[in-house]
Amino acid sequence: MPFVKARKKVERSPTASVSAAHVFETRGLTKTYGSGPSAVHALRGVDLEIKRGELIVLLGPSGSGKSTLLNILGGIDRGSEGEAFYEGSCLTSMTDRQLTNYRRHHVGFIFQFYNLMPSLTAEENVSLVAEVADDPLEPREALSMVGLGERAGHFPSELSGGEQQRVAIARAIAKNPNVLFCDEPTGALDSKTGITVLKVLADLNERLGTTVLIVTHAAATAAMADRVMHFSDGAIREIVRNVTKADPESIVW
Amino acid sequence: MRTIDRKLVRDLWAIKGQSLAIILVQAAGISLLVMSLGMIASLSQTMEAYYDRYRFGDVFASATRAPILTLLEIRAIDGVAAAEGRVVGGGLVDIPTIDAPVSASFVSLGEDPRSELNGVHIVQGRRPNPVRTDEVLVLNAFAEAVGLELGDTVSVVAYGKKRQFRMVGTALSPEFIYAIAPGAPTVDDDRFTIIWAPKEALEAAFDMDGAFNDLVVRLDRGAGEAEVTARIDRVLSPFGGRDAFGRNDQISNKFLTEELKQLRVMTFLMTPIFMGVTIFLLNVVIGRLVQTEREQIGLLKAFGYTDGEVGLHYAKFALILAFLGALVGWGGGLYLGRVITRVYQSYYSFPFLIFETDFRTAAYAFGLSLLGAGVGAFGAVRSAIGLQPAVAMRPPAPERFAKAGGIFGAVSKRLDGLTRMVLRQMTRRPVRAGTLILGIGAAMGLSVMMEFNRAAIGQILDVSFHVVDRSDLTVRFREPLHERVTLELGRLGGVRHVEAFRSVAVSFRHGTEEYLGGITGVDGQPRLNRIVDESLRDVVVPEEGLLISSSLSRLLGAEVGDVMTVEVREGRQPSLEIEIVGIMDAMIGTPAYMSRSAINRLLLEPGRVSGAYLASDSSALAALQRQMKEIPQLSNVSARSDVLTNFEELLEEGPGTFRTIMTLFAGLIAVGVVYNGARITFGERRYDLASLRVLGFTRAEASYVVTGEIMILVILALPVGALIGTLIWSYISVAMSNELYQVPTVWNPAGFGAAAIIVLLSGAVSVLMIRRDIGRLDMVSALKARD
């Protein structure tokens, strides 16, 4: 953990029982926007544990807190109260610089709107991230993994939505992340393209053992997860463990 | 307030930083405009009123000694409304607190203050009693500078005799608004004065009983100046009458009109630069606004707002900014006007000089601002009008980029991803990049111009006071003396070297051209007051014939080999034919040189000298100057160091103040353009920046996508600005050069450096400002909001 001093972490949270067996662990994680009567409680005390290599689907209606949780675990937002740990390091007490480092070296993001750099080609979008990672994949290799080896030289404006999303996935996996955060990865895609994308995610999880967290409100996606966390009103209402994971191709929505 | 106008106010507030930058750039331009138009109006109106109220002459002439009766003849000339004969003469004043004797010009007062020409304005005290021969008026600025009080005794040496006068008042006159000593480079309050005395007193002092040696004439409205001067010359020629001349050649008036001309040149040059930058900024900012508000425009149109209403809405953005800019500029202009008025008051003596602006100035300021707003917003307003509601509500098509080909492609392959992003963004919008480069270039250009101005002034001073004049003291005689006087000067304590010169006031005539100037006669190769050309090499004055400056050659259209008519305006006033044997590039003035023996021979005055340059031990300088007070033959004594100090002070006050203002404004333009450019790139790249941050790029790395572009633009703008500045400067140096001084067009690489530093610093300030904005970027919300 080059980005967090372990001793400091222990001092800050002496009561936390942290098991490094879990990639993520939260204790009473709360997120409140605003204050007083107009305060919005996006998360109301979430406790969870996520094991290495799990594929988790976070399910729930808009505003239920699933994206907020994802953002906090991904290090782009901070909780208001409670604690969140990544491999035993306390995310909620990290400095800005430490969080940047965390995002840079440990996690990959996939968004609903792809968030590619329009001025860079598919390959360049991938190498942009590979250039700053510790042990990156070859950009070409990452693109081949998502089936886009042929389209490497195209700009985002020359790619379809599904292709753009696959470039985003290639970009996320190119740095060999421990965790992949996907916020509505199929939200802007038609079902056929969506399934292609989900297949790539399942495949990564399977082959590389990458922990994958998918936020979605498409309930059918749940079938491909190890565990499904149902959100409502800023809290986890139910956690369902799938005995058998479904192949994304069998998902219909 | 209509709701759509409320939206306008809130939108303006949302981009308040950019709005402020535009308002300030505009305000800077308008304040310069208001200041200079106001100053031109105030100066010329004050001048006119002053001239009129104190009956400033239209035509002037001098004579050796003309009987009073000739005035009747002159008054009878057609077109002459009034004529007055005066007694004038030079002298030295002994001010105990000043080592050197002070040069003075004595001028006789008219009998009736209500009708006297070139009338005096009493500042303190009263006019001398006409029957008292010991009462005088002294130039107000001088009295203040040396601390003379009413009733104080003033000791003078005039016409070779020592006299005591009592100062009963201090005064000003339209004749001496710019009160410069003959031969001096600039005004010097404590080294030159005018002393007015009743005519009778001066008749006695200068041996002019029943005569006059100076003529002031007021013309009838519409009278032909040329005819009157010709007839005056005929009347006065038997009495040593010199060429009569009009106001254009009156020295004080000449400086004032030159000043007005220079103010006009500056206004003419500066206004378009500032206007241009404001138009650029409005164009870029309103253009961007329409782009980000596409959906809102579609919505407004879908709700039934007409194209006209929507267009007007965006035009109002520009108009409001322009109006505010004009308003702030107006206030700034009034303030600057007061500042500059104070500066002018140290050069020019007016009984009153109030900075005032008129309706015309206001019309220009506000009219030009609104016009600029219209031009700046035109493109954006047109595109807002042209947007179809349905099209407007669809998100814009994804930005298309292309890879660079050829050598750029090869270079691009070697760059990192972020730099590639920066370059592709820039090349995707070449017009905007070009506009920003021009805007920053304008700032650089202004700075270059100011640095060149500083260098030019520095060079003039350096050449004049270190290369050319290497004397310690210059003395001039009341009238040419025999050269043995140089031996006497050499015997004074501390004098190491004496270098005599002969100077003759002449009127050059060549073809139809005529120019009032002078010929300097020198011995061999002068060392204390060198004659050098533009490359600062010593120029050898030929044994025979005339060596003239190229500036004089241009004025007269005279070439080497031409024979020029030289009408001598002193002594016996012969008319000489002299061949031009050489032309040199002089940096200052319009000199003409001959060997002293040659000019004396032509004048039939062998062995005469008009003055001398002295080198002395520095420890002896003060004592030497005090001794000069006792030498009645002197008309002027000046120490090089005093002249230089005074010159530097005046330059600091005048051009220095102006330069400070302009440098500030140049910085303001740079900040305004760079900040707006950066803000817009930031707005467009917000989403990318947030993505980069999420991907784990540090704040500095992400900021580079915006700041990198800005830095490249600034760097590209430097050579553009250097070119703009050089062009403006070469125009200015020609437009502002005149027979009084040539502005050297110095190629000054250090000036580029200094200007670049100003622009880079301003750029750095803007980059810091934008870095702060980027630091505040909220990743989560930036990812949600797409435009």
Side-chain angles (χ1 to χ4, degrees):
Chain A
M1 290 278 99
F3 55 94
V4 175
K5 287 179 190 143
R7 198 168 51 82
K8 212 167 187 177
K9 171 207 77 193
V10 175
E11 280 170 7
R12 281 213 184 151
S13 45
T15 57
S17 72
V18 177
S19 156
H22 294 137
V23 188
F24 289 111
E25 222 179 310
T26 68
R27 296 269 175 275
L29 189 62
T30 302
K31 176 73 182 180
T32 314
Y33 295 103
S35 60
S38 65
V40 176
H41 300 281
L43 287 181
R44 301 166 187 266
V46 170
D47 300 310
L48 60 73
E49 284 158 3
I50 294 173
K51 287 204 211 69
R52 244 181 237 127
E54 270 194 301
L55 195 157
I56 306 280
V57 167
L58 308 174
L59 214 54
S62 313
S64 60
K66 53 192 193 306
S67 288
T68 307
L69 177 67
L70 194 81
N71 289 343
I72 295 173
L73 294 182
I76 61 176
D77 203 355
R78 288 169 184 280
S80 312
E81 272 171 60
E83 289 165 317
F85 296 93
Y86 166 73
E87 306 228 324
S89 302
C90 184
L91 289 172
T92 33
S93 62
M94 280 188 195
T95 63
D96 236 34
R97 184 162 286 277
Q98 286 169 328
L99 280 178
T100 301
N101 226 342
Y102 165 61
R103 294 195 302 268
R104 189 170 185 136
H105 297 294
H106 298 267
V107 304
F109 277 95
I110 294 161
F111 298 96
Q112 183 178 0
F113 295 112
Y114 334 129
N115 293 42
L116 298 178
M117 302 295 140
S119 55
L120 298 179
T121 63
E123 188 181 1
E124 288 166 347
N125 260 287
V126 179
S127 28
L128 182 70
V129 169
E131 279 162 11
V132 296
D134 284 337
D135 178 26
L137 303 180
E138 273 297 307
R140 283 272 177 178
E141 191 189 336
L143 281 171
S144 300
M145 284 175 72
V146 297
L148 277 180
E150 305 290 302
R151 311 278 276 156
H154 289 75
F155 283 98
S157 59
E158 298 160 346
L159 298 172
S160 72
E163 287 172 327
Q164 290 187 53
Q165 191 60 299
R166 280 188 282 155
V167 175
I169 296 174
R171 180 177 64 181
I173 61 177
K175 66 161 82 157
N176 238 331
N178 298 337
V179 194
L180 208 50
F181 291 99
C182 314
D183 196 349
E184 302 280 5
T186 56
L189 303 174
D190 61 74
S191 65
K192 192 164 158 261
T193 326
I195 285 166
T196 324
V197 167
L198 290 180
K199 265 185 73 174
V200 173
L201 294 177
D203 196 40
L204 276 172
N205 173 249
E206 195 71 34
R207 286 203 293 145
L208 302 178
T210 312
T211 310
V212 178
L213 273 76
I214 302 174
V215 158
T216 180
H217 56 256
T221 315
M224 66 182 280
D226 289 309
R227 285 192 294 156
V228 183
M229 300 182 175
H230 290 268
F231 273 76
S232 77
D233 253 351
I236 300 174
R237 291 294 168 218
E238 192 188 7
I239 299 182
V240 176
R241 180 177 296 278
N242 287 330
V243 183
T244 51
K245 286 201 277 185
D247 187 323
E249 281 203 64
S250 65
I251 294 174
V252 180
W253 81 84
Chain B
M1 192 191 270
R2 292 183 66 194
T3 313
I4 191 166
D5 291 328
R6 211 167 286 153
K7 165 184 177 309
L8 182 75
V9 173
R10 296 214 180 116
D11 284 351
L12 271 175
W13 186 247
I15 52 165
K16 49 187 174 299
Q18 288 168 270
S19 305
L20 186 68
I22 296 177
I23 290 172
L24 289 181
V25 170
Q26 165 120 29
I30 293 300
S31 62
L32 278 183
L33 181 75
V34 169
M35 177 201 86
S36 36
L37 284 184
M39 207 62 237
I40 290 169
S42 306
L43 269 182
S44 49
Q45 281 162 20
T46 306
M47 188 175 95
E48 284 305 319
Y50 190 22
Y51 283 0
D52 197 54
R53 190 149 152 216
Y54 288 89
R55 298 165 299 279
F56 182 49
D58 296 305
V59 167
F60 310 87
S62 47
T64 314
R65 187 196 161 92
I68 223 82
L69 282 174
T70 50
L71 274 181
L72 296 178
E73 236 176 297
I74 289 166
R75 285 183 184 132
I77 293 172
D78 230 14
V80 170
E84 200 167 292
R86 307 190 299 179
V87 174
V88 303
L92 292 177
V93 180
D94 178 4
I95 299 293
T97 52
I98 298 178
D99 287 336
V102 173
S103 304
S105 280
F106 290 88
V107 177
S108 68
L109 290 164
E111 276 160 25
D112 184 353
R114 284 165 305 177
S115 66
E116 95 187 322
L117 303 186
N118 288 2
V120 294
H121 166 84
I122 306 292
V123 181
Q124 271 191 74
R126 58 169 173 86
R127 284 173 75 94
N129 186 333
V131 298
R132 297 288 299 261
T133 54
D134 63 341
E135 292 186 348
V136 292
L137 288 172
V138 172
L139 192 66
N140 188 57
F142 175 76
E144 280 179 4
V146 303
L148 278 178
E149 303 279 344
L150 292 184
D152 279 358
T153 302
V154 185
S155 326
V156 305
V157 177
Y159 207 60
K161 276 169 275 186
K162 234 180 159 165
R163 290 163 194 280
Q164 308 271 327
F165 289 109
R166 208 158 61 82
M167 183 179 93
V168 295
T170 68
L172 307 172
S173 151
E175 191 181 359
F176 303 109
I177 294 174
Y178 192 80
I180 185 170
T186 177
V187 286
D188 194 348
D189 285 345
D190 60 4
R191 287 294 189 276
F192 176 66
T193 184
I194 310 295
I195 295 179
W196 288 273
K199 186 151 183 281
E200 264 180 64
L202 293 187
E203 280 180 3
F206 290 94
D207 194 18
M208 285 282 164
D209 254 344
F212 65 93
N213 60 1
D214 184 83
L215 177 75
V216 185
V217 171
R218 286 274 283 184
L219 297 181
D220 286 325
R221 197 177 289 273
E225 185 188 297
E227 290 151 41
V228 175
T229 49
R231 295 201 47 195
I232 289 173
D233 280 345
R234 273 205 291 282
V235 175
L236 287 183
S237 71
F239 311 103
R242 335 266 202 266
D243 283 336
F245 56 92
R247 268 189 197 177
N248 283 345
D249 285 313
Q250 203 270 342
I251 191 78
S252 162
N253 184 66
K254 201 167 180 166
F255 270 94
L256 259 175
T257 40
E258 277 303 327
E259 186 69 51
L260 285 168
K261 191 181 122 196
Q262 297 193 354
L263 268 173
R264 286 193 187 101
V265 170
M266 288 310 287
T267 318
F268 170 72
L269 266 175
M270 291 301 123
T271 308
I273 292 180
F274 281 86
M275 281 286 294
V277 174
T278 313
I279 289 174
F280 285 169
L281 284 179
L282 282 173
N283 179 292
V284 173
V285 170
I286 309 287
R288 166 68 187 158
L289 196 71
V290 167
Q291 202 183 319
T292 51
E293 294 195 345
R294 283 168 59 88
E295 288 169 41
Q296 300 181 34
I297 293 170
L299 211 60
L300 287 172
K301 288 189 178 179
F303 289 159
Y305 278 90
T306 63
D307 286 348
E309 282 169 320
V310 171
L312 182 65
H313 178 64
Y314 290 97
K316 276 189 196 163
F317 269 97
L319 293 174
I320 287 178
L321 291 179
F323 181 76
L324 290 175
L327 210 60
V328 175
W330 180 264
L334 294 184
Y335 172 75
L336 286 185
R338 306 235 158 85
V339 171
I340 293 292
T341 303
R342 273 200 296 279
V343 171
Y344 274 112
Q345 276 167 334
S346 61
Y347 284 80
Y348 301 104
S349 306
F350 286 102
F352 52 87
L353 178 62
I354 299 157
F355 180 77
E356 271 178 302
T357 47
D358 50 11
F359 174 74
R360 214 168 54 107
T361 307
Y364 270 125
F366 285 86
L368 275 177
S369 298
L370 298 183
L371 180 74
V375 176
F378 181 75
V381 168
R382 203 179 48 173
S383 75
I385 289 174
L387 269 180
Q388 292 301 316
V391 175
M393 286 173 73
R394 271 202 298 274
E399 293 178 90
R400 304 196 79 88
F401 285 87
K403 278 193 251 186
I407 188 161
F408 293 107
V411 171
S412 166
K413 279 208 179 69
R414 299 184 165 274
L415 298 172
D416 62 292
L418 294 178
T419 306
R420 227 176 282 160
M421 283 175 72
V422 167
L423 291 180
R424 292 207 183 128
Q425 284 162 37
M426 267 174 55
T427 47
R428 202 173 157 271
R429 299 185 185 280
V431 175
R432 185 159 79 199
T435 304
L436 293 173
I437 288 175
L438 267 182
I440 305 166
M444 169 80 182
L446 282 182
S447 308
V448 166
M449 195 185 96
M450 288 303 126
E451 289 305 320
F452 276 25
N453 168 278
R454 183 202 307 277
I457 289 176
Q459 193 183 359
I460 292 181
L461 287 188
D462 192 47
V463 170
S464 309
F465 294 98
H466 297 294
V467 177
V468 169
D469 188 353
R470 298 195 293 195
S471 70
D472 295 300
L473 221 50
T474 307
V475 297
R476 285 169 210 281
F477 308 127
R478 234 167 5 93
E479 52 197 11
L481 299 177
H482 192 269
E483 60 200 9
R484 64 177 164 265
V485 72
T486 58
L487 297 176
E488 286 165 37
L489 286 171
R491 278 198 289 272
L492 293 173
V495 174
R496 285 188 281 112
H497 186 60
V498 181
E499 190 172 280
F501 62 88
R502 178 76 211 259
S503 65
V504 189
V506 301
S507 166
F508 295 106
R509 273 185 214 280
H510 184 260
T512 54
E513 302 298 330
E514 181 178 0
Y515 182 73
L516 293 183
I519 296 176
T520 306
V522 299
D523 297 332
Q525 194 72 68
R527 301 317 311 166
L528 292 184
N529 195 58
R530 293 168 59 197
I531 301 168
V532 295
D533 64 13
E534 250 178 356
S535 358
L536 306 184
R537 279 188 301 259
D538 277 301
V539 175
V540 180
V541 177
E543 281 300 309
E544 297 293 333
L546 197 57
L547 172 71
I548 65 171
S549 49
S550 47
S551 42
L552 184 59
S553 130
R554 274 194 299 278
L555 280 172
L556 294 167
E559 298 296 334
V560 172
D562 290 356
V563 174
M564 194 146 58
T565 306
V566 175
E567 287 171 2
V568 177
R569 308 179 66 230
E570 57 181 64
R572 298 177 308 102
Q573 307 194 29
S575 180
L576 310 170
E577 302 284 317
I578 312 179
E579 188 185 340
I580 300 171
V581 295
I583 291 178
M584 60 171 288
D585 291 315
M587 194 173 282
I588 298 154
T590 49
Y593 298 100
M594 284 184 80
S595 108
R596 185 166 68 92
S597 56
I599 183 73
N600 277 340
R601 204 161 46 242
L602 289 173
L603 292 169
L604 306 178
E605 294 175 355
R608 293 277 144 175
V609 295
S610 307
Y613 296 98
L614 309 183
S616 79
D617 301 327
S618 54
S619 56
L621 193 58
L624 191 58
Q625 292 188 74
R626 279 195 297 276
Q627 275 180 282
M628 300 286 179
K629 291 180 175 180
E630 306 299 324
I631 303 176
Q633 290 89 349
L634 297 180
S635 73
N636 182 289
V637 176
S638 64
R640 186 178 57 108
S641 57
D642 287 349
V643 178
L644 176 60
T645 309
N646 172 60
F647 215 148
E648 282 170 339
E649 279 170 12
L650 283 176
L651 288 173
E652 197 44 54
E653 212 171 333
T657 306
F658 188 67
R659 231 174 15 233
T660 308
I661 295 171
M662 290 306 295
T663 305
L664 276 176
F665 283 2
L668 196 62
I669 288 187
V671 172
V673 175
V674 173
Y675 180 67
N676 263 303
R679 258 328 287 208
I680 286 171
T681 308
F682 173 50
E684 285 173 352
R685 297 292 142 205
R686 223 184 153 75
Y687 193 60
D688 295 353
L689 285 174
S691 302
L692 286 172
R693 292 282 287 131
V694 170
L695 291 174
F697 284 90
T698 62
R699 205 161 274 171
E701 286 166 336
S703 305
Y704 170 66
V705 172
V706 172
T707 54
E709 178 175 340
I710 291 308
M711 288 187 284
I712 293 175
L713 290 179
V714 169
I715 287 166
L716 289 178
L718 294 181
V720 173
L723 184 69
I724 294 176
T726 309
L727 288 178
I728 300 178
W729 178 250
S730 43
Y731 173 76
I732 286 188
S733 57
V734 173
M736 296 224 167
S737 288
N738 50 49
E739 54 195 87
L740 302 172
Y741 26 74
Q742 272 92 50
V743 181
T745 319
V746 245
W747 177 253
N748 170 34
F752 289 132
I757 287 172
I758 292 168
V759 171
L760 288 173
L761 277 181
S762 312
V765 169
S766 324
V767 165
L768 287 181
M769 281 157 68
I770 204 76
R771 276 287 290 275
R772 212 188 41 171
D773 293 340
I774 295 173
R776 290 206 198 111
L777 182 71
D778 173 8
M779 279 178 268
V780 177
S781 64
L783 285 176
K784 281 181 188 155
R786 301 204 65 174
D787 60 58

